[in-house]
């Protein structure tokens, strides 16, 4: 392992600058590390790597097998595999006997932090503010702010580079009607992303409402249910979907999270992609079957000594508006049942918004490239099969490119945020940036053949011999 990245002259352009160090760009950094001639650096605004710390609920597992670590699916011999982490921590035998295919999220976080702490070229407390193209030097300029321990600006800096990989991930989403409550100080309305920071007060609150029928909502509801007194649970769980539905996890269904499906989806027209994107919600929005079973088990267990738990689980409900009652901390949710059309009010003492995440807008840091950026009919940046943004030839002609990680659901499909595709996407980007294919990738990755292959329906062997054309007029 070569801990020393290639020597870098201060003003010389880098080969690659990564913006954001979540799992996606950490995978890229881990796969870039052995490429000793590649001069790459990564900037992250946070003080250290931490994967969704507010939801590292005890027992919660990653929803992909441990092989979907940062590198294994493209380089199982890498130093940065999950198994190598276990070896470094002398925990390989215990893992061997644990027989766990899905590891706990806390363990995945610890593994990623081990990689982040040992990889060269990662700069934490560096917030990237702007990117622009410098046509005189045919390079990108990346401006960043170095932050101090309190997150305050300490110094400004600039890096030059030929390639940028934007991996800024997602941020918690709060529906409009609930925004005023989340922003109001002292009101116990929190996004699930901050659940563990508020867990104690939520466990002792008189009544708690969880809004959102996805995995996070289910995990928060289960944790509260398990830790509130039997018979006095005083919990509501509301969701807009018609049911607390399981996530698609069948083996053929999971093939939608493969390079084959990504290539197929990318080749479709924009309108077909958008329509398909709305119908595939159960591939990424449902609840893990294990979590649903654990919730039912806990509810059932609480009926052993008679009576039903004081927990109301209602799907098909949307929160129309919400407010605080006078000067109290009590919250009133105005609900509407989507199928019934009926309305009611729910007063509660605390609300956990498991209302999902949205991709962080690229435009925030790529505004400087706006004149060069090509967009689709809905003003979304276009990206090619290699995850490269479609930029004006005056930029790409200078061999300068911007790649995206987990910001391309509209062009590459449902697999964009999936950890199982992170290593393959990173390898695709490195193969393209270096032009040397350091990570040969499989031509086929699924049993399902997505789309009709452009080949004759009748196999050549069974086709009738070509007819000799009749000569005109003879
Ligand atoms: C609670 C939760 C659980 C999930 N579980 C799974 C799972 O089990 N399996 C699965 O396949 N997927 C899962 N996902 C989906 C997805 O894998 C994760 O969201 C993953 O974190 C995406 O990685 P990322 O690197 O794209 O983004 P993020 O993890 O969001 O990281 C992006 C990073 O960019 C940094 N950043 C942003 N802007 C700047 C800037 N201007 N300058 C510097 N740094 C910046 C941010 O601080 C952040 O650290 C889960 C998502 C959530 C929210």
């Amino acid at each position: 392992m070569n801990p020393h990245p290639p020597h870098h002259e201060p003003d010389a352009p880098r080969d690659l600058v990564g913006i954001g160090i979540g799992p996606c760009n950490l995978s890229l950094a881990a796969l870039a590390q052995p490429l000793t001639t590649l001069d790459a650096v990564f900037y992250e605004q946070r003080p250290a790597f931490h994967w969704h710390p507010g939801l590292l609920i005890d027992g919660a597992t990653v929803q992909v097998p441990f092989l979907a670590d940062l590198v294994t699916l493209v380089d199982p011999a890498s130093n940065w595999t999950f198994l190598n982490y276990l070896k470094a921590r002398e925990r390989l035998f215990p893992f061997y006997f644990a027989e766990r295919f899905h590891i706990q999220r806390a363990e995945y976080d610890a593994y990623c932090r081990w990689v982040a702490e040992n990889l060269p070229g990662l700069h934490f407390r560096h917030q990237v503010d702007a990117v622009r193209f410098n046509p005189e030097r045919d390079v990108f300029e990346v401006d960043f702010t170095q932050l101090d321990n309190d997150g305050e600006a300490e110094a400004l800096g600039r890096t030059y580079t030929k390639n940028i990989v934007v991996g800024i991930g997602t941020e918690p989403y709060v529906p409009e009607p609930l925004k005023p409550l989340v922003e109001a100080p002292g009101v116990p309305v929190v996004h699930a992303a901050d659940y563990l920071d508020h867990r104690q007060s939520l466990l002792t609150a008189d009544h708690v409402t969880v809004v959102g029928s996805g995995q996070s909502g289910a995990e928060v509801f289960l944790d509260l249910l398990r830790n509130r007194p039997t018979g006095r649970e005083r919990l509501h769980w509301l969701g807009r979907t018609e049911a607390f539905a399981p996530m698609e996890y069948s083996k053929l269904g999971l093939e939608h999270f493969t390079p084959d499906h990504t290539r197929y989806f990318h080749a479709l027209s924009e309108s077909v992609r958008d329509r398909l994107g709305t119908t595939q919600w159960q591939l990424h929005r449902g609840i893990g079957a294990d979590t649903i079973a654990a919730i039912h088990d806990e509810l059932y267990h609480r009926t052993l000594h008679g009576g039903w738990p004081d927990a109301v689980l209602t799907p098909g409900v949307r929160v129309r508006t919400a407010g605080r009652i006078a000067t109290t901390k009590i919250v009133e949710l105005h609900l509407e049942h989507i199928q019934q059309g009926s309305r009611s009010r729910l007063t509660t003492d605390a609300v956990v918004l498991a209302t999902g995440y949205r991709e962080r807008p690229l435009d925030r840091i790529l505004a400087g490239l706006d004149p060069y950026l090509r967009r689709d009919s809905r003003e979304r940046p276009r990206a090619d099969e290699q995850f490269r943004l479609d930029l004006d030839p005056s930029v790409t002609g200078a061999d300068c490119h911007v790649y995206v990680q987990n910001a391309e659901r509209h062009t590459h499909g449902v697999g964009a945020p999936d950890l199982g595709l992170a290593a393959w996407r990173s390898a695709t980007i490195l193969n393209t940036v270096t032009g040397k294919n350091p990570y040969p990738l499989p031509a086929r990755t699924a049993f399902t053949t997505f789309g009709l292959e452009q080949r004759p329906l009748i196999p050549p062997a069974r086709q009738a011999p070509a007819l000799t054309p009749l000569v005109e007029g003879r």
Side-chain angles (χ1 to χ4, degrees), residues 341-408:
S342 54
R343 294 184 172 187
S344 75
R345 294 176 184 210
L346 172 65
T347 54
T348 182
D349 300 281
V351 182
V352 181
L353 299 174
T355 44
Y357 296 75
R358 293 288 181 275
E359 289 170 6
R360 279 196 178 90
L362 293 178
D363 292 346
R364 228 180 263 165
I365 44 176
L366 297 185
L369 296 182
D370 203 43
Y372 307 102
L373 205 54
R374 303 279 170 75
R375 298 173 183 274
D376 67 11
S377 69
R378 287 168 54 183
E379 291 305 311
R380 299 165 298 188
R382 294 208 301 234
D384 70 10
E385 206 176 307
Q386 283 72 36
F387 306 96
R388 241 178 334 205
L389 291 184
D390 189 354
L391 293 171
D392 186 85
S394 61
V395 177
T396 54
D399 205 17
C400 288
H401 299 281
V402 177
Y403 298 79
V404 287
Q405 300 239 59
N406 191 11
E408 72 288 354

Side-chain angles (χ1 to χ4, degrees), residues 20 22-24 44-46 51-52 62-63 128 169-170 406 417-419:
C24 298
E44 166 59 46
Q45 58 194 359
R46 289 193 278 193
W51 192 54
H52 304 301
V62 181
Q63 299 190 300
V128 172
T170 58
N406 191 11
D418 188 69
L419 296 174

